[in-house]
Each structure stands twice: as C-alpha cells, then as structure tokens.
Amino acid sequence: DQYIQKKPQLLRHKNGEFVIVDGTRTLQLVYNLYYWFTNVAALSTIVTTFLEKEVDFWAAYVLCTACLFVSIVVLIVFAERIVKVEPQGNNLPLAIKVGLCAARSGWKLDHAKQSYQTGATVPWSDTFVDELKRGLMACRVIVSYLIFYLCVNQMFNNLVSQAGQMNLHGVPNDMIQAFSGVACILLGPGIQSLYSFLARRRIAFGPIARIAVAFFFCGGAMAYAAGVQKLIYNTPPCYDRPRACPAADDDDGGRVPNDISVWVQVPVYFVLAVAEILGFVTASEYAYSKAPRDMKTIVQALAQLTAGVGSGLGMALSP
C-alpha cells in the first residue's frame, strides 16, 4: 500500500537516458528488501542465545523489547509520510454468499453473477464476482505452500534435533539455524541481481516459475538433510542410537554425540535460503499483486493460515 504507482512510467535521467519504471519489478524489489531486512533482524537470535547463556533470560527479553521501541519511534517519526488506507469493510460474508450461490448452480462462479440470475436480485455485482475469481486463483497458489512451509520449518525442530546428535564444537545446537538468516542476507542481493539480469535480456521468470524453482530447492535441501542423517547413523560411537548407547558416556557424567561435525549440516540452510527467497518473497508478491483490492486482506490471511497449518504439521512430525 505504500507503493502507489501501478502503471509503468517513462523517466529521463540527468544524462539524457530514458528508462521505464515498472511497477511490477519495483514491487518485487520492495518485497525482496523486506525479506532481506527481516533476516537481518533474525540475526538477533545469535545475540539473544549468548545473552541467555552468559547473563540470563531477562537480558535477552530486554534486548527484544528495546528493538520494538525503536520500531515504534520510527513509525511515529515518519507518520506523515506513511500512506494510510481507510478500512473498506469486510467482504468475506459477501464472498461466502457468492460461493453458496455458485455451489447451487453447478459450482461455477459465473453462474452467481447478477446477469445470470432470472427474476432474482443479488447484493453483489458482476465485477465483484470477477474479483472473487481472481482472489481464489491467488488462494489456490498460496494453499500449495502447505508442504513448503512444512519443509522449511524443519530448521526449527527436526534440524535442531539432528544438530544435537552431532559434534557441536561448543556451539548451541539451537543456534545453528541462524545460518539460514546469514545465507538469506548473503544470497538475497545476488538473486535480485539475477532477476534484473533476466529482465534486461527479456527472459521470462515469472512468479509461477520462481515458485516451482523454490519447491525444487526445498526438496533438494530435505534430501541433503536425509543424507546427513544417514551419515550420523553410520558414525560411531552410537551409530543409529545417538547419545543412547553405553559408549556415549563420558568422564564428566554427560553423553557425547556421534563423531560427525555439525558444520556438515550448514549447506542445508544455504539451499533452504534460496528456496525461501524464491518462495516466500514470491508468495507475498503474488498474493498482493493478484488479489483484488478489496480481497488483499483475505488472501494475506489465508497465507498466514497456511503457514500456521504447516507449522502445526511440523510440530506433529517432530521427534
């Protein structure tokens, strides 16, 4: 909503060169920057983990609270420059009525249009039905992300457990996931440059293609993680029973992991980072650009619901 340009504009630089400002590519850049800064903020997990370990939990919470206050100050300072969109009402009840009407007419949305009705009046216009169709198309793509969220969320549960079975070299096993943020920060500008490279050469790389490539990288990351687990089970001292055999007992009364370095796991986070940048950023961009103005909130809410269901499935599959 902060970016109000919708159509391409022709601009002239000071050197006399003419350029076209494309709203679609600018929106793509905005979402990439948003995700890049999100991962910069995610690096705070490194600091908070050590604060909790070396000081106490209160120090980690104080740091997070201070960051929130900084965000509030920024919003207050720039309040005059922020585009404020007035609420337009809730279209969800009307969309449900259109869906029910379409269900009674052979599950075809076009049959719910006013122009299709004979001797009856409906409280919606043909334009609203067309916009609902566009919104449902965006929702169909977003719902496919259920498995994608399930795989990416492995870095917060199963990959953490897997790291606990490996030689950590003094690093907390729940901090290894910070490499995902590091990878996104390093790879994000490169992927944005790739988009520009392809656009200058008029090579199509649309949202559906980017989503497909994201799913490919996500599957590759899960395959690599499975290979790492196989390596763990082939490594002494406990093989397929990490930390659970008598040979894992050490002189300090603790239990040692299998003798394989946790750094073997790091490539998983870099491959997942590529999938995240291509997948999550494109999903947000697609949901915003394809959804009608009056249904953007509904589509974004569905995206968050898909993320929540994916997280729930991840918890169910955790050991």
Side-chain angles (χ1 to χ4, degrees):
D1 293 330
Q2 304 304 310
Y3 181 66
I4 58 177
Q5 176 186 326
K6 302 301 180 183
K7 298 181 180 179
Q9 292 183 353
L10 183 64
L11 298 180
R12 184 176 182 177
H13 284 168
K14 294 181 178 179
N15 59 4
E17 180 184 7
F18 287 94
V19 296
I20 296 176
V21 179
D22 187 356
T24 302
R25 290 197 56 210
T26 303
L27 188 64
Q28 181 186 81
L29 174 62
V30 168
Y31 274 108
N32 272 316
L33 286 173
Y34 166 75
Y35 197 71
W36 190 84
F37 280 111
T38 299
N39 281 280
V40 171
L43 293 183
S44 62
T45 57
I46 300 176
V47 180
T48 53
T49 299
F50 279 102
L51 280 176
E52 174 268 324
K53 181 180 179 181
E54 302 296 336
V55 184
D56 204 343
F57 281 102
W58 68 265
Y61 291 130
V62 166
L63 176 63
C64 298
T65 305
C67 292
L68 286 175
F69 274 109
V70 171
S71 301
I72 294 172
V73 171
V74 171
L75 290 174
I76 294 174
V77 171
F78 293 97
E80 296 296 329
R81 301 183 182 181
I82 295 176
V83 177
K84 302 178 179 65
V85 180
E86 295 293 333
Q88 302 296 319
N90 184 9
N91 286 322
L92 184 58
L94 194 60
I96 293 175
K97 292 180 180 179
V98 172
L100 293 175
C101 182
R104 293 192 297 266
S105 304
W107 296 98
K108 295 182 178 180
L109 279 175
D110 286 337
H111 291 179
K113 291 183 177 180
Q114 175 64 64
S115 57
Y116 189 85
Q117 309 302 316
T118 55
T121 303
V122 292
W124 55 80
S125 63
D126 291 359
T127 302
F128 180 81
V129 177
D130 290 333
E131 290 183 347
L132 180 60
K133 290 173 64 176
R134 285 179 52 203
L136 291 176
M137 286 292 293
C139 291
R140 186 171 63 179
V141 174
I142 296 302
V143 170
S144 69
Y145 269 78
L146 181 63
I147 303 301
F148 189 82
Y149 277 108
L150 173 62
C151 294
V152 171
N153 286 339
Q154 297 304 302
M155 71 176 68
F156 304 115
N157 42 60
N158 285 329
L159 287 177
V160 175
S161 301
Q162 184 184 74
Q165 301 171 356
M166 308 169 76
N167 195 337
L168 294 169
H169 305 288
V171 180
N173 67 318
D174 58 349
M175 203 186 76
I176 304 299
Q177 60 181 290
F179 278 100
S180 174
V182 173
C184 287
I185 293 171
L186 295 176
L187 298 175
I191 292 177
Q192 180 61 41
S193 299
L194 174 64
Y195 293 160
S196 300
F197 174 83
L198 295 175
R200 285 195 299 269
R201 283 154 182 79
R202 298 183 180 181
I203 300 175
F205 192 41
I208 301 300
R210 296 199 299 272
I211 291 172
V213 174
F215 272 76
F216 174 80
F217 274 95
C218 190
M222 293 298 100
Y224 183 89
V228 171
Q229 192 65 50
K230 180 64 175 178
L231 287 176
I232 294 173
Y233 287 159
N234 290 337
T235 305
C238 292
Y239 296 98
D240 60 350
R241 297 175 58 205
R243 296 180 181 266
C245 66
D249 296 333
D250 61 12
D251 297 334
D252 297 328
R255 306 188 74 81
V256 297
N258 285 5
D259 191 20
I260 178 173
S261 176
V262 73
W263 305 121
V264 175
Q265 194 190 59
V266 171
V268 175
Y269 295 100
F270 277 82
V271 179
L272 278 178
V274 177
E276 287 183 63
I277 297 170
L278 291 172
F280 288 151
V281 176
T282 304
S284 300
E285 172 196 342
Y286 187 87
Y288 182 84
S289 60
K290 298 299 181 182
R293 181 177 181 83
D294 293 338
M295 292 192 64
K296 292 186 184 297
T297 303
I298 296 175
V299 175
Q300 293 288 351
L302 181 64
Q304 297 305 314
L305 176 62
T306 304
V309 175
S311 298
L313 288 175
M315 294 174 62
L317 295 176
S318 298

